[in-house]
Amino acid sequence: MSVIDLSKLPFPEHNLRCFLDTVCAEHELDFAAYAGMNPIQQSVHGFVNYPDEWQTRYVEQGYQHKDPALLMASRSIAPVDWQRLRKETSFQTIMQAAHDFGISEQGLTIPVRGPYGDVGLFSVTRNCSDREWRLLKTSIIGDLQTAAVHLHDHVMQSSILTRKLTHPSLSEREIEILQWVAAGKSQQDVADILSISNRTIEVHLRSCRTKLGALTTPHAVGRAIGLSIIYPV
Amino acid sequence: MIIVVDGINRHRYTRLLDEMFALRARVFGQRLGWEVDIRDGREIDQYDALDPAYVIGVNEQNRVVSCVRALQTTGPHMLSDVFSSILNGEPPLRSATLWESTRFCVDTEVLDRGKSRNSVSYATCELMAASLEYARDSGISDIVTVIDPVMDRVLKRSDCAPYGYVGKTTPMGKVSAMAALLDCSDDRIDRIRRFAGIEGDVFVDDQREQCLSDEGMTAAESIAPTSSQPTTQDRMQALLQEYCLEQVADAATQEELDAARRLTDNLLGAGLIRENHSLLAGI
C-alpha cells in the first residue's frame, strides 16, 4: 500500500489540514490527525497538524506499524480513549518520544467505517488532567464523531473510483423531508406535515447531511438540488 | 452486571462470546423462529466477523443472561443488507451519530418473572440502559434497532417507547421484524432506570472484568473442586481451636488446665487444629 500525504496535494474544495486546525480551535484541542485506508485504491492516506519534526520522527521510526491508537481503534466501533492503551508497551514507547514534541498522552481515536471496507481513524489530543479531559470529552465527542465521518468521506471521495461508487443514495423519506426543507418549512412543520416526530425528522436530516457530505442542512439542500435529487423551489 | 466486548478485547472473552452465541441460537432460532444460521448450537452471522460491539449482561454466577450487538451505520450493517426488506429496499439511514442495534435478547429460561434482580424485566431494562449509556458515552445520539412486535411492546411498557420507526413491519420467520428509533438521551436512560429500579453503575469493574475473562474463568474452575471441602474443614478447625482456647482460659484449677492442655496437644498431634499464636500463648 502506498502512503499519500493529502496535505501536500492541492485540494480545490477543501483544505483538509485547515479542517483539522478548525476542529482543534473549536473544541479546545491541541492536535488532530487523520489516517485512512482505502482498500479499493490500495492506499493509506494521512495528514496531521502535529509539529513537522514529530511527523518525520513518527514515520522514521515506523510507529504507524505498532501504534496501538491506530491498530486497536480500527477494531472498535466506539472512540478509543488513549487511557485504555496506557498499559501497552508500544503506547508508552511512542508517548515517551511524543512528549519531547509537546504531545500529551491525553487523547482519543475515533474509528470510522465506510461502506466498502474503508476505515478512517481520527485522533485528537489535549494536554490536561484526567478530570479536565473527561469533562471536555463528554462535551465534544458527538461533534468529533460528525467531523471524523465528514473528513473520512471527503478523503475517500478524492479517489475517482470510490467517488463513482458512492453516489449519494437517499431514501424516499429523506428526499421528501429535504424537499420540504428546501420549500422553507421548519423541522417542526415537516414533522406536522408528515405526522412523524420532530426527532425522526432530525435523524433523517442528519443522515441526508452525511450522505451528501454536508455539514449543515442548507449545504445539504444545495448539494441535493445540484445533484437533481430534489427540485429547486 | 454488564460487560462490553468488542474487537479490542474479544480474544480474552471467547467463552463468554460462545455462551452468547448459544443464547442467540436458542432465542432467534428456536423461540422466535427467525431464519438464522445455526451451527453447533451457535447463531453466528457475517456481521459478527465485522468487529461489532457486544453489550452483554451476566448474572451473579457469571452466566450470560442478555446481549445485544451494535454496529455503525456509516459502514456495513444489517439494515443496509439482510434487513433491507424492512426498508422496502430503500437505502438505510447513514449518520456518524447513529448506531444500529440488533440481536437484542434475554434468557427467559434462566431468568424468572416479577421485578427482582433476577427477572426478565430487570435484565431487559439493565441491558437497554447500558447499551444506551455506552452509545451516549461514545458520542452517539440515536439508535436504530431491529426488533419484533413483542420487544416493541416491552419497550413501550418499560417507559422506553420508540420515538419513531423507519420502513415497515416485515415477516421474518414465525414473527415479524421492524426498525425502531431510540434516542440515547439522559432522559430516556433515567426513565428506564426508574422503571426497573436500577441504581449506580451497571458496568462491571476491573476485578469482575478479569473474573469474566477466559483466564479468570479457568482459574475459578481449577480452584472450585478443592475449595468447597476445605471451607467446612476450615470452619471445623476454627471451632475446635476456639474450644481449646476457651478450655484453657476457663480452667479453674491446675487439674483442669492440665486436662485442657492435654486435649489441645492431642488435637494438634492429630492435625485437627493448627498451632496459632493465641493457642500457643494459652499453652
Side-chain angles (χ1 to χ4, degrees), chain A residues 76-81 84 108-111 141 145, chain B residues 99 137-139:
Chain A
S76 172
I77 69 160
V80 176
D81 194 311
R84 198 176 167 184
L108 65 83
T109 301
I110 295 179
I141 197 153
Q145 284 271 20
Chain B
W99 277 357
D137 296 345
S138 304

Side-chain angles (χ1 to χ4, degrees), chain B residues 62-257:
Chain B
N62 290 343
R63 262 198 77 170
V64 172
V65 292
S66 64
C67 63
V68 64
R69 173 175 69 184
L71 277 164
Q72 290 149 308
T73 57
T74 51
H77 58 288
M78 291 195 86
L79 278 167
S80 67
D81 187 13
V82 303
F83 279 152
S84 65
S85 56
I86 296 175
L87 303 178
N88 260 331
E90 292 267 326
L93 293 165
R94 181 174 192 266
S95 162
T97 51
L98 176 74
W99 277 357
E100 176 195 67
S101 110
T102 53
R103 298 288 195 264
F104 188 111
C105 63
V106 294
D107 195 340
T108 48
E109 284 162 31
V110 172
L111 301 162
D112 46 45
R113 302 214 156 257
K115 289 192 90 178
S116 77
R117 271 188 160 252
N118 202 40
S119 67
V120 171
S121 165
Y122 189 92
T124 306
C125 289
E126 187 180 47
L127 186 66
M128 283 194 301
S131 47
L132 293 179
E133 286 173 18
Y134 173 58
R136 176 198 62 193
D137 296 345
S138 304
I140 301 305
S141 53
D142 298 84
I143 290 194
V144 57
T145 179
V146 180
I147 52 173
D148 65 358
V150 178
M151 187 63 202
D152 189 47
R153 280 201 296 279
V154 169
L155 288 172
K156 287 175 180 162
R157 267 206 309 264
S158 318
D159 204 6
C160 182
Y163 67 76
Y165 300 88
V166 282
K168 59 174 185 8
T169 309
T170 307
M172 196 78 57
K174 283 187 218 161
V175 291
S176 45
M178 61 222 290
L181 292 165
L182 302 172
D183 49 283
C184 319
S185 65
D186 291 341
D187 179 51
R188 180 179 292 271
I189 293 165
D190 287 346
R191 286 200 320 260
I192 301 168
R193 279 174 163 268
R194 216 174 305 134
F195 178 83
I198 301 167
E199 276 163 20
D201 196 349
V202 292
F203 293 98
V204 294
D205 56 18
D206 290 352
Q207 200 188 345
R208 190 74 193 280
E209 207 172 81
Q210 176 60 26
C211 285
L212 291 166
S213 69
D214 295 343
E215 216 175 65
M217 285 206 187
T218 314
E221 266 169 17
S222 61
I223 303 165
T226 44
S227 68
S228 60
Q229 258 186 333
T231 40
T232 23
Q233 235 173 42
D234 286 346
R235 205 172 308 131
M236 183 81 96
Q237 208 169 48
L239 284 169
L240 274 173
Q241 232 155 286
E242 206 177 302
Y243 177 76
C244 291
L245 279 170
E246 273 170 22
Q247 289 298 308
V248 172
D250 295 347
T253 63
Q254 187 60 41
E255 224 171 85
E256 277 179 16
L257 186 63

